[in-house]
Amino acid sequence: SWIPRRWVQQPLVYLLSLGVFASAWGYYGSVALAQLYGYGYLSYFGGLAGAFLLTPLLLRPILRITRRYQLNSLADLLA
């Protein structure tokens, strides 16, 4: 692959990729929410901001478990 392995394994890269994904959905979702609920759509952005701020805290224990037990997929983690 053309991306160095040490970059891909960084939690920050994962966090930023989630940010790109969520921002695309967030844009289209917020337009629809603003049309339906007026200023109530701001709670949507508050939730997204809270999720991004808490992601490093929430992912760290999951990453620790997956490394300890050598889990490779979400199915392994849930089993």
Side-chain angles (χ1 to χ4, degrees):
S1 122
W2 59 277
I3 300 174
R5 188 174 191 88
R6 62 185 174 149
W7 288 6
V8 175
Q9 293 177 344
Q10 293 295 323
L12 184 62
V13 172
Y14 183 71
L15 178 68
L16 291 174
S17 66
L18 283 177
V20 169
F21 176 75
S23 64
W25 280 102
Y27 174 74
Y28 293 115
S30 66
V31 170
L33 286 173
Q35 179 184 7
L36 291 174
Y37 301 111
Y39 285 106
Y41 79 95
L42 292 176
S43 64
Y44 181 81
F45 286 112
L48 280 177
F52 288 130
L53 291 174
L54 293 176
T55 297
L57 298 173
L58 297 174
L59 282 182
R60 189 162 288 132
I62 294 172
L63 290 173
R64 196 176 314 125
I65 290 170
T66 57
R67 286 183 185 142
R68 176 181 289 164
Y69 297 107
Q70 298 178 353
L71 304 175
N72 294 319
S73 70
L74 183 60
D76 292 340
L77 179 64
L78 296 176

